[in-house]
C-alpha cells in the first residue's frame, strides 16, 4: 500500500509540473506595448507591384517613423494564400497590431480571426475583411468613387452611351464597392455593354480590353476599377487606332502623368499616403486603449486634365 501511495504521489507531482508548463508560447503573449512604449506593427500589403500600394506602404512607414513605431512589411504578391501565411508569420513574430490590405476580403478572414484569438488588434486598409473583428477600416468611400466615375462619363458622353467596365480582383471589397457605386448611376444613365475582371493589373487590363474592343467596336467609354487597368486599356485602345475616354480609380503618379499627356481622361483620386498615416494613428490609439470609429474615410477627388496641370 505504501508503494502504491508513493506512485500516486509521484504521478500527481508530474501532472502538477505539466500543468505549470501549459502556457501559450512567448510569441502569443501580449507584450503590453502601450505601457512599455515599444510598439511593433505588421503591415501585410496585397501587392507592391502597384504604385498605389507602394504609396500606401510609404505612408505607413513615414508615420510609424514619426511616432517611433517599428514596422514589419510583407508583400502578398496578389496571392491570398501567401497573404494568409504572411499574416501567420507576423503573428509568430509577436507584433502588437496588424495592418492588413487584403488581396481577397473573404480569404483573409481566417487570418483576421487568428489575430482575434490572440487579442492582437487588426486594422484593414483600402479593402475590408468579410469576417473577424476589425477595429477599423481606413479607406476611401469606394462606392462614392464609382458613382463619381459614372456621373463623369454621363456628363462627357451623354445618357445612354455604351460603356465597358473593367473590374478588379473578384472577391475584393473594393471591387464590389466601386462596381456597386458605378452601377447605381450607370444602370440608369448609361448602357453598360460589357463588364469583365482584369484583377487590378495593367497587363491584364490591356489583354481584356483588346478582347472587349473586338467584341464591342461601338463602345464610347470605359471605367476601370483602378488606374493600372485603365492604363492597360489605353494601350489597347491606342493600338486599335481608337479614341475612347477612359476613367480610372486611385490617382497614382503614372495615371496623373497620363492625364497631363492627354491619354487617360480622368481618375477618381485617392490619397494612399494619408490612408497609411491614418491606419498607423488608429493602431497607436487602439494599443493605448482609445476607441476608434469602425470606418475612417479618406477624401476623394476627380482629377481631369484641367485639374492635373
Amino acid at each position: 500500500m505504501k508503494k502504491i501511495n508513493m506512485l500516486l504521489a509521484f504521478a500527481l507531482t508530474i501532472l502538477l509540473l505539466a500543468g505549470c508548463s501549459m502556457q501559450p508560447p512567448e510569441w502569443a503573449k501580449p507584450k503590453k506595448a502601450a505601457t512599455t512604449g515599444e510598439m511593433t506593427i505588421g503591415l501585410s500589403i496585397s501587392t507592391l507591384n502597384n504604385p498605389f500600394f507602394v504609396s500606401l506602404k510609404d505612408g505607413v512607414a513615414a508615420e510609424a517613423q514619426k511616432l517611433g513605431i517599428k514596422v514589419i512589411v510583407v508583400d502578398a504578391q496578389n496571392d491570398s494564400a501567401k497573404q494568409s501565411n504572411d499574416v501567420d508569420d507576423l503573428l509568430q513574430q509577436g507584433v502588437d497590431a496588424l495592418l492588413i490590405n487584403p488581396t481577397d476580403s473573404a480569404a483573409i478572414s481566417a487570418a483576421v480571426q487568428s489575430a482575434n484569438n490572440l487579442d492582437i488588434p487588426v486594422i484593414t486598409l483600402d479593402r475590408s475583411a468579410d469576417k473577424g473583428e476589425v477595429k477599423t477600416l481606413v479607406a476611401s468611400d469606394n462606392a462614392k468613387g464609382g458613382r463619381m466615375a459614372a456621373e463623369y462619363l454621363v456628363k462627357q458622353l451623354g445618357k445612354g452611351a455604351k460603356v465597358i467596365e473593367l473590374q478588379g480582383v473578384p472577391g475584393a471589397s473594393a471591387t464590389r464597392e466601386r462596381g456597386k457605386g458605378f452601377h447605381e448611376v450607370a444602370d440608369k444613365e448609361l448602357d453598360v455593354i460589357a463588364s469583365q475582371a482584369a484583377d487590378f493589373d495593367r497587363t491584364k487590363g490591356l489583354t481584356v480590353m483588346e478582347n472587349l474592343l473586338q467584341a464591342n467596336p461601338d463602345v464610347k467609354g470605359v471605367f476601370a476599377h483602378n488606374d493600372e487597368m485603365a492604363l492597360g486599356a489605353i494601350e489597347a485602345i491606342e493600338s486599335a487606332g481608337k479614341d475612347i475616354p477612359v476613367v480610372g480609380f486611385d490617382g497614382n503618379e503614372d495615371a496623373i502623368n497620363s492625364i497631363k499627356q492627354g491619354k487617360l481622361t480622368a481618375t477618381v483620386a485617392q490619397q494612399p499616403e494619408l490612408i497609411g498615416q491614418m491606419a498607423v494613428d488608429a493602431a497607436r490609439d487602439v494599443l493605448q486603449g482609445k476607441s476608434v470609429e469602425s470606418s475612417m474615410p479618406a477624401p476623394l477627388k476627380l482629377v481631369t486634365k484641367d485639374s492635373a496641370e
Side-chain angles (χ1 to χ4, degrees), residues 67-206:
L67 298 175
I69 297 173
K70 180 182 177 182
V71 181
I72 303 173
V73 181
V74 288
D75 176 9
Q77 300 173 11
N78 268 336
D79 184 329
S80 57
K82 182 179 185 305
Q83 184 163 48
S84 294
N85 291 332
D86 287 346
V87 170
D88 286 341
D89 289 343
L90 289 172
L91 293 176
Q92 293 190 42
Q93 290 182 61
V95 296
D96 300 299
L98 274 174
L99 307 185
I100 303 178
N101 159 237
T103 295
D104 184 297
S105 299
I108 199 62
S109 296
V112 172
Q113 290 169 328
S114 294
N116 295 160
N117 292 336
L118 296 172
D119 292 326
I120 295 175
V122 177
I123 291 161
T124 51
L125 296 80
D126 187 57
R127 306 168 185 168
S128 64
D130 287 352
K131 296 180 180 178
E133 180 189 351
V134 172
K135 294 296 183 181
T136 187
L137 164 64
V138 185
S140 304
D141 187 335
N142 284 305
K144 180 180 179 181
R147 291 192 295 271
M148 290 168 64
E151 289 164 357
Y152 180 77
L153 286 171
V154 172
K155 183 179 178 181
Q156 296 298 307
L157 304 174
K159 290 186 178 183
K162 295 181 178 182
V163 298
I164 283 173
E165 175 189 21
L166 295 183
Q167 302 168 330
V169 174
S173 61
T175 300
R176 295 196 301 264
E177 292 160 10
R178 293 173 192 181
K180 178 177 179 291
F182 176 71
H183 283 278
E184 285 175 2
V185 175
D187 289 351
K188 299 174 183 176
E189 305 287 341
L190 296 167
D191 180 8
V192 183
I193 57 177
S195 293
Q196 189 170 329
D199 299 341
F200 292 129
D201 182 81
R202 190 181 301 199
T203 301
K204 290 183 180 178
L206 167 61

Side-chain angles (χ1 to χ4, degrees), residues 49-65:
N49 190 31
N50 182 322
F52 176 83
F53 295 117
V54 173
S55 295
L56 189 150
K57 173 191 70 77
D58 291 344
V60 168
E63 187 70 1
Q65 183 177 25

Side-chain angles (χ1 to χ4, degrees), residues 230-266:
L231 293 170
I234 288 171
E235 290 184 49
I237 291 167
E238 289 179 340
S239 295
K242 294 179 178 289
D243 183 14
I244 301 171
V246 178
V247 178
F249 200 122
D250 280 345
N252 69 37
E253 185 177 356
D254 287 350
I256 300 301
N257 288 335
S258 182
I259 290 172
K260 290 178 179 179
Q261 295 165 10
K263 295 183 177 182
L264 182 62
T265 308

